[in-house]
Amino acid sequence: MNAAFPTDLLGSTNSDVFLPHGIPIDSLTSTLPLAQYSGMREHRKSPMVNVGHMLTDRDDVTHLLILRFQQLLSDGLLSPGTRLPPERELAASFGVARSSLRPALKVLEIMGVITQKVGDGSYLNKDASSVLAVPMEFLFLLDDTSLQELTEMRLMIEPALAAKAAERASAQDIALLKQSIADFESSTHDRVRLVASDLLFHRAIFEASRNRLAGRLFHTIHRAMLNMIMVTSQLVDLEHTLQFHRPIMLAIEQRNPELAARLMTDHLKDARDLLHHDSQEEKSRQLRDHLASGASVRKHAAKVGPVASAKTVKNSKLAGEAHPSRK
């Protein structure tokens, strides 16, 4: 049976709107300049106080509706799998037009909070794995996260996850780790399979840690990890990587958290060193190309110089003969 939707709270005043972490907006006002606070108070005069009044600024309505959903989730009044009321009822409860409600629902769908099913309505997602995945991927792209920064973060997180995997991994988790290694071993002439099996190995450890946030984190950074693996896989042969993956898998299977963490640290430090060495090699190559280009220019100038000088002298003589009075 679907959970009841708390319509009695939808029309409440906007003074009790909560931020994503359950912090009342009013608790932050003491840190704001007076002018900015006054502006916020104007924006927070919600149409929801009076169902008969509608806001016309669609951006404001979308923002306010998302804040209201955050409040309902924070208060535990919406549970995973809840079916939302039809658009007509939902719009009336919020005190907004349906045309204003739809952008807010679309934003929540993009964020992964709800799923809209044609002919069936909107549901609060049961699985949070997709929530904020798209915005976080854009964050990595817009911030231009470097491989060095990614490696540093992985060194802080993955050894601890490997230790937890050694404590908590199920038989299925161990089987998935072994399968990823088997796939890796048979991917000698298949670069796509090699990279995919390498990523699968690390994903299996994230999931075997039995920490749901770690699983969500993998979904957020897996594209960046994929890019990193694509680079490092070109710098070493297949056996080099297997020399790290096999012992890590065995340490997890043998329930040895300390060893698993240490081996994962060694693996990631090796990847970091490979990337650093490759970066230095690329800089050296660029410098060599630059110097070679400069030498070529100087050599060309040396050849052209005498010819140009001879032409200049010849032209001067011709000019003198044509205008004897200038002598």
Side-chain angles (χ1 to χ4, degrees):
M1 182 175 179
N2 291 324
F5 192 80
T7 55
D8 57 314
L9 288 182
L10 300 183
S12 61
T13 63
N14 204 38
S15 61
D16 59 352
V17 170
F18 282 73
L19 295 176
H21 297 290
I23 303 173
I25 286 180
D26 287 337
S27 69
L28 303 181
T29 56
S30 60
T31 65
L32 294 173
L34 181 59
Q36 185 177 350
Y37 171 61
S38 299
M40 285 184 62
R41 295 291 294 182
E42 288 300 316
H43 279 303
R44 287 172 54 204
K45 291 179 180 178
S46 170
M48 302 173 200
V49 179
N50 182 356
V51 175
H53 176 66
M54 301 290 180
L55 274 185
T56 57
D57 190 327
R58 183 167 295 186
D59 289 339
D60 278 350
V61 173
T62 299
H63 183 230
L64 289 170
L65 291 178
I66 291 173
L67 286 176
R68 184 66 70 200
F69 272 102
Q70 287 177 336
Q71 179 187 353
L72 296 174
L73 287 166
S74 176
D75 292 344
L77 298 171
L78 285 179
S79 58
T82 299
R83 184 180 185 277
L84 304 182
E87 276 189 10
R88 188 185 304 278
E89 295 178 23
L90 198 58
S93 298
F94 277 118
V96 298
R98 292 173 68 182
S99 60
S100 297
L101 174 67
R102 285 168 186 157
L105 294 177
K106 179 56 65 176
V107 170
L108 290 172
E109 183 179 30
I110 292 172
M111 292 170 64
V113 176
I114 67 171
T115 297
Q116 294 187 359
K117 301 178 180 179
V118 178
D120 191 22
S122 300
Y123 290 81
L124 188 66
N125 282 339
K126 293 181 180 180
D127 181 9
S129 62
S130 61
V131 175
L132 291 182
V134 172
M136 284 299 292
E137 286 179 7
F138 272 107
L139 176 63
F140 271 83
L141 292 171
L142 292 172
D143 271 359
D144 193 24
T145 304
S146 69
L147 291 178
Q148 289 72 26
E149 290 173 308
L150 177 64
T151 305
E152 185 177 86
M153 187 195 73
R154 292 181 65 187
L155 272 166
M156 291 187 286
I157 295 173
E158 287 193 62
L161 293 179
K164 287 299 179 185
E167 296 173 356
R168 302 171 176 176
S170 65
Q172 290 77 12
D173 294 323
I174 302 297
L176 186 58
L177 283 170
K178 290 182 177 180
Q179 182 61 52
S180 72
I181 291 176
D183 289 345
F184 196 89
E185 289 171 335
S186 60
S187 63
T188 306
H189 303 295
D190 188 341
R191 179 170 163 73
V192 173
R193 186 176 184 184
L194 183 150
V195 172
S197 57
D198 194 340
L199 186 64
L200 176 60
F201 176 82
H202 291 277
R203 173 188 172 184
I205 291 175
F206 271 77
E207 294 180 350
S209 70
R210 288 293 175 271
N211 184 298
R212 289 192 301 168
L213 289 179
R216 305 300 180 245
L217 176 62
F218 177 84
H219 283 283
T220 299
I221 67 172
H222 78 279
R223 292 186 188 277
M225 289 178 66
L226 181 63
N227 291 336
M228 178 176 173
I229 291 171
M230 288 178 68
V231 174
T232 56
S233 66
Q234 298 178 67
L235 305 177
V236 294
D237 58 23
L238 183 146
E239 190 60 33
H240 179 94
T241 302
L242 286 173
Q243 287 177 357
F244 289 100
H245 282 198
R246 289 192 190 108
I248 292 171
M249 185 275 294
L250 288 173
I252 292 173
E253 185 178 30
Q254 295 168 2
R255 306 298 180 186
N256 191 330
E258 293 80 9
L259 180 59
R262 187 173 76 248
L263 291 171
M264 180 60 77
T265 299
D266 292 343
H267 180 26
L268 294 174
K269 283 184 176 180
D270 177 73
R272 179 194 61 190
D273 294 343
L274 287 171
L275 291 171
H276 177 71
H277 182 264
D278 181 59
S279 176
Q280 294 300 113
E281 284 290 315
E282 177 62 19
K283 289 179 180 178
S284 297
R285 185 192 65 77
Q286 291 177 356
L287 179 60
R288 289 194 302 270
D289 290 347
H290 177 74
L291 294 175
S293 176
S296 176
V297 170
R298 289 192 298 273
K299 186 176 180 180
H300 179 71
K303 289 181 178 180
V304 173
V307 176
S309 300
K311 287 183 178 180
T312 302
V313 172
K314 183 177 180 181
N315 290 337
S316 298
K317 289 181 178 179
L318 292 175
E321 292 173 358
H323 301 280
S325 60
R326 293 183 182 177
K327 292 182 181 180

